């Protein structure tokens, strides 16, 4: 395991932080999740299986749980001992909370001069909004991300998933892991500061670069692509098919399949720029030729022709798709809930050091005694 | 720089791969982008500034560009020399392409027994769909992600950003960086296999775990939250405000601010579960109390009360927001296009080893001579 031998003290809760530390745990780190007597609030969210929140279980596998009451001097003393013996500390409290607990970066460096500390927050540890409460939805709204989603003329739309939490968690895991790639003899105390808004801004891609180049934002265009056409969701005789004709070569393949290469002779459709300007017309031309066959029939024909295309799967179908099953993206842990509980799999597949499920998500305080005895 | 001294041969193009290798470059790796005589197709996309695509520029900073014609024996011979002297190779061709070029994993291990190779593709290197063409939109559709986005009763909606490309790029960068965290003496040849669909499935969060717990998918609910209420986009006298009252404590703060704590006495609103069941009614209660003040006025009052809330910023406003400016999430490179070109900043902020802009995105083949002379 790539991060074998790395000890992480995990003060995070809910999503962004636990998603970060779960990446580290999956990669082999020994992650000790320190929870208060009531536990991570995620333990109380969503549906439960034999008393364990399925939601919590999917963000906390491969970790150990230690309960400490950090409002007591004894609890704080134990935490400090744990930090002194660790390689890394990850936290996602509101900025300022750690300092109030006597765990500012300066305090932490005194405790452990080689510690890597990673802070995850809504707006970051610095700047005019640092002290504001935040949350995934606020980061979606304020990063510009949400504004890019939605139908033309309709209001901006948040993602149905807590995408800002998750992306910030991935950046945090990347920052932590890069810090571990520094040779031991060159390491110093390091403080990493990840913001949900920064993380989402970093993913604005062509939406940002068009602003840089032209001063203007691209329009919000629903399932179409602002820079490419034809591209979008098309109706079939029994549903929809998503078609991504993302370059001229693929448009050629699509038109050949649909027996309409003569459209290239029409100046409205001759180039991508022209097609983008006549998006509705090219969409109608393609749509008219897709009628009369099922989604399954079109998928076979489109894929055979080398045109990227897929069905829109609901979450139940996606999790049961043959490819997703083959890739083991849904796993069934052993242990007390064997056969009842499922969790999401590992997206980092490797020929060696493959992430494995070493332990299911812990009961609250399951490892308090085990960890404290070693101190 | 954390990855200083690491050499990466970059055979990627368009988004997912270049976003991965840009993370490695930002963290300090020496990334040599090998392009064909026509260059990365992204060089031709989107608006240009003095001949440089702004889109390409935002995904290829801190890299060097070497042009090789890999259809010629000479070009392949040079590439093999580069690979033999590198730590890592990243590619995002369609699966099977590398093997056809004589660069299967077995070939690569012969060339360089300690190489870390990272493959990024739509569906992964294995499984029933491995050979299918894919693209960001297809991964959004087939992972279940797209199905979670959209208004109740309206069709599923893709993200306005190439989110599958970007998330797959982040996982790839994490896998590569974790491989570099393995002590040199323990390293072996390693092949990493990242799929866009796996990556998006790994982020289905509560949408997946509810399926695991109940067999049923949660409903698509637009800007509301399927598990929490009140939560969503509310109208003010001059626009909208996004409010995330994500737990009972915050709902209490919100109701206190709106002078409606008596709503807790109504059994429809007493608990989160009850409020989710009566989502439309609680939304109407909150909405009615938000009229008569501007977005700015509400933001001040909500933030002061400790209720996570924000405006929905368009991309122009988001990139010019005081917090985003403070965090330097928009940067102006020096060099030939100084003062004209802007790029997105670094979301991984650090007290030491901070990512820096060492060089702007390269012209096509800018470093061919420099790199080849050293071989």
């Amino acid at each position: 395991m790539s991060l074998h031998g790395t000890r992480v003290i995990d003060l995070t809760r809910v999503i962004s932080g636990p998603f970060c530390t779960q990446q580290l745990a999956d990669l082999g780190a020994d992650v000790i999740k320190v929870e208060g007597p009531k536990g991570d609030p995620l333990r109380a969210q969503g549906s439960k299986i034999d008393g364990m929140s399925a939601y919590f279980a999917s963000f906390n596998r491969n970790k150990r749980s230690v309960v400490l009451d950090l409002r007591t001097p004894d609890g704080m003393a134990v935490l400090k001992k744990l930090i002194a013996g660790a390689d890394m500390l990850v936290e996602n409290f509101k900025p300022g909370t750690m300092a109030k607990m006597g765990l500012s970066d300066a305090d932490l460096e005194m405790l452990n001069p080689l510690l890597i500390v990673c802070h995850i927050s809504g707006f970051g540890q610095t700047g005019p909004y640092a002290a504001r409460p935040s949350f995934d939805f606020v980061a979606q709204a304020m990063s510009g991300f949400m504004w890019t989603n939605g139908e033309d003329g309709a209001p901006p739309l948040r993602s149905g998933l807590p995408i800002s939490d998750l992306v910030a968690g991935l950046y945090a895991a990347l920052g932590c892991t890069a810090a571990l790639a520094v040779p031991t003899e060159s390491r110093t105390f390091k403080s990493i500061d990840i913001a949900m808004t920064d993380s989402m801004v970093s993913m604005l891609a062509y939406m940002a670069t068009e602003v840089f180049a032209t001063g203007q934002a691209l329009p919000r265009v629903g399932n179409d692509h602002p820079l490419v056409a034809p591209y979008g969701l098309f109706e079939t005789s029994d549903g929809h098919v998503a078609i991504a004709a993302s370059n001229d070569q693929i448009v050629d393949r699509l038109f050949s399949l649909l027996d309409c290469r003569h459209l290239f002779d029409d100046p409205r459709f001759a180039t991508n720029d022209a097609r983008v300007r006549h998006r509705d017309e090219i969409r109608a031309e393609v749509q008219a030729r897709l009628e009369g066959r099922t989604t399954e029939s079109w998928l076979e024909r489109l894929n055979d022709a080398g045109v990227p295309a897929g069905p829109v799967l609901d979450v139940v179908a996606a999790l049961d798709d043959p490819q997703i099953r083959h890739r083991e993206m849904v796993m069934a842990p052993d242990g007390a809930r064997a056969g009842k509980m499922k969790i999401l799999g590992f997206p980092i597949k490797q020929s060696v050091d493959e992430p494995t499920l070493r332990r299911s998500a812990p009961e609250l305080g399951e490892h308090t005694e085990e960890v404290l005895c070693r101190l």
Side-chain angles (χ1 to χ4, degrees), chain A:
Chain A
M1 309 285 288
S2 306
L3 305 189
H4 184 76
T6 301
R7 176 166 285 194
V8 179
I9 305 303
D10 180 4
L11 293 178
T12 71
R13 64 267 180 281
V14 193
I15 306 181
S16 62
F19 192 58
C20 165
T21 54
Q22 179 161 289
Q23 302 297 333
L24 303 176
D26 287 353
L27 289 164
D30 175 22
V31 175
I32 298 177
K33 184 177 177 89
V34 175
E35 301 181 76
K38 289 182 183 170
D40 184 336
L42 213 62
R43 290 185 180 275
Q45 276 201 26
S47 298
K48 292 187 179 183
I49 296 167
D50 287 358
M52 169 66 77
S53 154
Y55 196 9
F56 177 84
S58 257
F59 283 95
N60 291 285
R61 65 179 172 220
N62 283 339
K63 304 179 189 174
R64 297 194 283 171
S65 168
V66 166
V67 168
L68 295 178
D69 187 346
L70 300 181
R71 291 164 308 182
T72 68
D74 282 358
M76 279 304 295
V78 174
L79 176 62
K80 287 180 178 176
K81 273 194 198 168
L82 286 172
I83 293 170
D87 301 289
M88 196 176 281
L89 170 71
V90 186
E91 66 90 13
N92 67 342
F93 294 115
K94 203 174 139 184
T97 306
M98 289 287 284
K100 273 184 220 156
M101 292 164 73
L103 298 173
S104 69
D105 278 2
D107 296 325
L108 290 168
E109 189 169 2
M110 294 269 282
L111 271 175
N112 183 340
L114 294 182
L115 189 71
I116 299 157
V117 52
C118 179
H119 306 286
I120 307 171
S121 62
F123 296 107
Q125 303 295 311
T126 63
Y129 308 163
R132 284 194 195 176
S134 189
F135 202 72
D136 169 74
F137 188 29
V138 176
Q140 292 200 36
M142 294 184 68
S143 62
F145 172 78
M146 207 170 127
W147 192 86
T148 73
N149 300 323
E151 299 291 349
D152 187 11
L157 198 72
R158 70 184 268 276
S159 164
L161 300 171
I163 193 81
S164 311
D165 279 322
L166 298 167
V167 171
L170 281 180
Y171 272 120
L174 179 58
C176 288
T177 304
L180 292 171
V182 175
T184 318
E185 62 276 14
S186 310
R187 285 199 204 150
T188 59
F189 181 84
K190 177 181 283 188
S191 178
I192 302 170
D193 168 11
I194 303 290
M196 287 197 272
T197 39
D198 293 354
S199 299
M200 293 312 291
V201 163
S202 82
M203 300 182 84
L204 288 175
Y206 47 75
M207 288 293 185
T209 57
E210 285 301 301
V211 171
F212 296 151
T214 69
Q216 305 269 312
L218 289 167
R220 185 157 65 230
V221 289
N223 279 313
D224 291 357
H225 193 295
L227 294 175
V228 180
Y231 185 111
L233 204 58
F234 295 87
E235 286 174 29
T236 63
S237 67
D238 66 344
H240 289 90
V241 59
I243 300 179
S246 52
N247 62 42
D248 286 341
Q249 192 186 9
I250 295 173
V251 176
D252 199 324
R253 292 178 198 156
L254 175 66
F255 285 6
S256 296
L257 175 68
L258 301 180
D259 203 16
C260 62
R261 290 194 74 252
H262 64 273
L263 292 175
F264 285 126
D265 301 331
D266 186 326
R268 294 175 301 165
F269 308 136
T271 65
N272 183 62
D273 283 355
R275 291 190 297 270
V276 166
R277 281 196 304 276
H278 302 281
R279 177 181 287 126
D280 291 343
E281 291 121 291
I282 189 64
R283 151 174 286 285
E285 293 283 352
V286 172
Q287 179 61 66
R289 289 173 173 81
L290 290 174
E291 279 152 25
R293 284 181 192 268
T294 61
T295 295
E296 194 180 331
S297 162
W298 277 119
L299 287 173
E300 198 181 323
R301 292 158 63 88
L302 289 160
N303 280 310
D304 285 350
V307 176
V312 183
L313 299 182
D314 66 34
V315 178
V316 175
L319 294 173
D320 196 39
D321 186 74
Q323 181 73 14
I324 295 304
R325 282 208 309 269
H326 176 90
R327 301 283 290 180
E328 298 182 346
M329 286 308 296
V330 176
M331 301 190 304
D334 296 334
R337 296 176 191 84
K340 296 182 187 174
M341 179 71 98
K342 287 181 182 171
I343 58 174
L344 292 168
F346 307 109
I348 302 180
K349 308 292 183 196
Q350 302 189 153
S351 60
V352 291
D353 295 336
E354 178 93 343
T356 56
L357 185 65
R358 306 190 304 285
R359 57 176 96 237
S360 301
E363 307 296 330
L364 179 60
E366 185 178 338
H367 307 92
T368 304
E369 201 179 315
E370 173 183 310
V371 171
L372 268 50
C373 281
R374 292 280 188 111
L375 273 186

